[in-house]
Amino acid sequence: MEQASSIADLIRMRMDGDVTGLCRATRSETHDVSLYATILLGSSTGPPEAVEALFACLRQRGEPHPGLRWQAAKALGKLRERRAVPELLRLLVEERHSREQLDRPACDALAAIGGPEAVSGLLDVLDQVTTDRPGYTAALVLDALARMRPPEAVTPLLALLWHHLPDHAERVVRTLGAIGDPRAGSALLVLAHAPASGTRLRRAAVTALHALPDAAWPPARRYPSAEPLLYEAQRDPDPETARLATALLSRTEDGRNHLLDVLRAASRSPHHPECPPHAVAAVCAHVAEAPDLFAVPDPGEYHALLRHHLRESAVPTVRRTAALALSAYAGAEAGEALLEALSDALISDAVADLIARLPGPPLQELLELLTGGDGTVTQQRGAARALGGIGHTGAAQALLTVLENGMAPTAVRTAAADALGALRRTEAAAPLAALAEDEEQPGTLRARAVRALGLIGAPALPVLVALADGVDNLSEDLSDRLVATLAARPEAGATAVLGRLAAAPPPRTATDAAVGQERLAASRPVREAASAALTERGTSECLTPLTSLLGPGSWSGAHEAAVRALLKIGTAEAHERVLAYCRTMTYLYDWHVEALDAVAEARAVRLGP
């Protein structure tokens, strides 16, 4: 009978469906062989001999191979083996002080197996560890319960919440939020309101409340009702807490009235302690997200308040979210205020995008701002961006004029390049190509020209290929943009260039460069970006360059990405290359095992009946 002596032998057994061989290998005196055989058995169909081999590994005390019991627990969880529940619970109770620290794999396995016995056992363990030794084990048990989401855990968790504050409160609250049971609503509201909760606990409480079913909102309470208990959270210093509390308040009429009061009070007194800027921004953002919730017969006051905050707020975030809300709530009526806000340098880009999405956008006014000579640089930039976003092809000639005007501000020419790319006008390809290749032009403008060429498509590909030939002499911004643009092109020519860039030799280091030589190559970032682009493509043309990424000189992370891309290609040749790579390993990560499983599944190979 064959004895496994290496990872390559184990992989051969895995691909042959040899359960017996892997079970025998778990008893090997060679540490790596026994360890990885145990891991691979977790991919079996759970035949009795595999389960018994895993139980044998799990029960070894003082075992000579560190990690074997850990991996056995993980494998039993992966197999959803219910007979392992008592053994895993015993590990948590009896051996949580041991050197091996098996709490994590035991909890993970119990969460994967699930079922009433596992839930009941974990609750018993939780009661013991919070009484005896609060800390690591309790956190793992709570995380496991959060993944299982058992309704029967709600009452014990609420009891734990009050009896063991503050040791576990935040994790208990997160677990209750994961379960999403309305019975926890009232307690969570109290925690969201209480100043003593602290920022982290309030955020956890509001997050958990947000996870409750909409039909269960607001939680039943006699006094006070849910809305007043959220006022403090709505102005909490943590913006995420304020955002979530705002969303909860928007669910009821009383809550929406309070949010309107926040806008009113802030308009009268910007420094009012009950309506700080981030709370105002949270209201505006939610109006933008769900304008129909705030619909009223006469929206005039809402319009006026939003325009006020757009014009007068000293905080850019408030001005930006007010613009969002005004465009969503007022529609075309927001046009005049948004045009005025184009002059606000800190929010101009966001406002331009909003103008582009308006029904019946103000085309003539935008063209006048772009070409009339009276607009500021910020207004011209914003006008160009908006025209590109609108897709107004009639603006192409005006944008080309700005692009080719060497006396125009670089920021305006850059915006014109972006707009021409968005319009995908083929007549813009030649001037954009000239800019991209002109080393006298600002690097930012050249980079945006490259991006625009990529959007225009096929007429620009030769220019992109030519630029790639000298990529090491380009600025970092331009080289990054070039690779991103090639990555967005589906043509085989773009794939070939990416493959060439990915396979380029590593850059010389400072110690390699002699005095007087040219500057050091900047190819490492380019290699990594091109490699990442290839792994995202995953087409048959990428087979050879992806295989080259599996070599020892690749950047960190390239191996996993390349293997996943080869699996995406899914041909027999791609699978063989994955297997050839895995056989060279001296260790197996989870993603190696996943790759072996994927190939085995494609070949209809099962570990077990």
Side-chain angles (χ1 to χ4, degrees):
M1 301 176 74
E2 181 187 8
Q3 297 289 330
S5 59
S6 67
I7 287 179
D9 290 337
L10 294 176
I11 290 175
R12 183 168 58 254
M13 291 177 177
R14 169 68 184 95
M15 301 314 298
D16 288 343
D18 184 0
V19 175
T20 301
L22 289 174
C23 290
R24 188 166 55 251
T26 64
R27 302 187 293 273
S28 171
E29 293 299 317
T30 303
H31 169 257
D32 288 350
V33 170
S34 61
L35 184 69
Y36 294 122
T38 302
I39 293 172
L40 291 174
L41 283 177
S43 299
S44 71
T45 59
E49 57 185 316
V51 173
E52 289 306 315
L54 293 173
F55 271 124
C57 294
L58 188 65
R59 290 166 181 154
Q60 289 190 29
R61 292 177 179 269
E63 49 102 355
H65 302 328
L68 189 63
R69 300 177 78 198
W70 180 294
Q71 297 300 339
K74 283 184 62 176
L76 288 165
K78 190 175 178 181
L79 294 177
R80 308 289 196 272
E81 180 53 60
R82 293 195 178 278
R83 288 178 296 163
V85 169
E87 194 78 22
L88 294 167
L89 289 170
R90 185 189 63 78
L91 289 180
L92 285 176
V93 174
E94 298 179 8
E95 301 192 30
R96 65 178 188 273
H97 300 285
S98 72
R99 180 176 56 85
E100 292 179 76
Q101 295 183 346
L102 297 169
D103 299 25
R104 181 175 293 280
C107 284
D108 288 345
L110 287 164
I113 296 168
E117 184 182 5
V119 172
S120 175
L122 283 171
L123 288 171
D124 288 342
V125 171
L126 186 61
D127 184 58
Q128 293 181 45
V129 296
T130 51
T131 302
D132 301 339
R133 187 177 63 96
Y136 180 70
T137 303
L140 291 174
V141 172
L142 286 167
D143 288 347
L145 289 169
R147 278 175 276 166
M148 298 166 79
R149 304 175 63 186
E152 61 267 34
V154 171
T155 299
L157 287 174
L158 287 172
L160 178 67
L161 186 63
W162 302 126
H163 291 162
H164 294 283
L165 280 171
D167 291 334
H168 306 290
E170 189 180 339
R171 259 200 167 83
V172 172
V173 165
R174 289 208 300 263
T175 304
L176 288 168
I179 296 172
D181 193 298
R183 289 175 292 168
S186 185
L188 295 172
L189 279 169
V190 171
L191 289 174
H193 171 74
S197 293
T199 300
R200 290 170 58 93
L201 182 54
R202 275 198 304 276
R203 179 173 179 172
V206 176
T207 302
L209 285 166
H210 201 263
L212 297 181
D214 288 351
W217 190 263
R221 289 182 58 84
R222 291 188 178 181
Y223 181 84
S225 61
E227 290 83 2
L229 292 176
L230 288 170
Y231 294 169
E232 197 70 35
Q234 201 278 324
R235 53 180 176 264
D236 191 275
D238 176 54
E240 179 63 9
T241 301
R243 183 189 73 81
L244 292 170
T246 299
L248 291 169
L249 284 164
S250 73
R251 293 182 181 181
T252 65
E253 184 177 357
D254 286 348
R256 290 190 292 273
N257 287 338
H258 173 74
L259 298 178
L260 180 58
D261 285 341
V262 170
L263 294 181
R264 287 187 186 119
S267 69
R268 295 191 297 265
S269 176
H271 303 293
H272 197 294
E274 294 190 358
C275 48
H278 69 276
V280 178
V283 177
C284 292
H286 201 69
V287 172
E289 184 180 330
D292 291 346
L293 274 178
F294 297 87
V296 292
D298 182 7
E301 184 182 13
Y302 266 118
H303 293 180
L305 288 169
L306 294 171
R307 283 195 296 267
H308 171 88
H309 290 299
L310 174 58
R311 286 194 307 267
E312 305 297 336
S313 176
V315 181
T317 302
V318 174
R319 300 199 301 273
R320 184 179 297 108
T321 53
L324 279 167
L326 187 62
S327 65
Y329 195 75
E333 294 181 43
E336 183 179 349
L338 293 176
L339 278 172
E340 179 185 337
L342 274 182
S343 61
D344 187 336
L346 295 177
I347 67 169
S348 183
D349 284 355
V351 170
D353 294 341
L354 295 172
I355 291 174
R357 295 198 293 268
L358 286 176
L363 295 172
Q364 191 58 40
E365 291 87 342
L366 291 170
L367 284 169
E368 289 175 2
L369 281 176
L370 178 65
T371 62
D374 295 331
T376 65
V377 170
T378 300
Q379 287 174 313
Q380 288 179 300
R381 277 188 69 248
R385 184 182 180 100
L387 288 166
I390 292 167
H392 180 48
T393 57
Q397 187 55 54
L399 292 165
L400 276 170
T401 300
V402 171
L403 180 73
E404 296 175 314
N405 180 5
M407 302 301 293
T410 299
V412 179
R413 297 176 74 198
T414 299
D418 288 343
L420 288 166
L423 293 176
R424 290 171 167 75
R425 302 297 295 176
T426 55
E427 65 267 30
L432 287 167
L435 277 179
E437 294 177 309
D438 187 349
E439 296 183 4
E440 299 298 320
Q441 297 294 332
T444 300
L445 179 57
R446 294 179 69 195
R448 302 297 263 277
V450 166
R451 177 181 180 276
L453 287 168
L455 292 172
I456 289 172
L461 191 58
V463 177
L464 301 176
V465 172
L467 284 171
D469 289 336
V471 71
D472 284 344
N473 295 317
L474 301 178
S475 67
E476 184 176 345
D477 183 39
L478 182 53
S479 61
D480 286 349
R481 178 52 60 190
L482 174 62
V483 173
T485 302
L486 287 165
R489 299 308 313 162
E491 295 88 351
T495 302
V497 174
L498 289 170
R500 179 162 52 81
L501 293 176
R508 291 174 292 128
T509 64
T511 57
D512 297 328
V515 176
Q517 285 185 336
E518 294 181 1
R519 71 181 181 87
L520 299 181
S523 62
R524 184 173 298 279
V526 171
R527 290 173 70 217
E528 295 180 4
S531 301
L534 283 172
T535 61
E536 291 174 5
R537 278 167 119 77
T539 59
S540 57
E541 294 87 358
C542 301
L543 192 63
T544 298
L546 285 172
T547 304
S548 71
L549 294 180
L550 298 177
S554 295
W555 51 278
S556 175
H559 291 180
E560 180 178 357
V563 164
R564 293 191 185 282
L566 287 167
L567 293 173
K568 180 180 177 182
I569 292 173
T571 62
E573 185 178 1
H575 286 164
E576 278 301 326
R577 298 191 184 198
V578 169
L579 291 177
Y581 163 73
C582 289
R583 291 186 191 107
T584 67
M585 293 294 97
T586 56
Y587 48 81
L588 295 178
Y589 288 135
D590 287 346
W591 61 269
H592 290 121
V593 177
E594 291 172 13
L596 294 173
D597 290 346
V599 176
E601 182 179 0
R603 296 181 174 184
V605 175
R606 292 165 58 87
L607 275 176

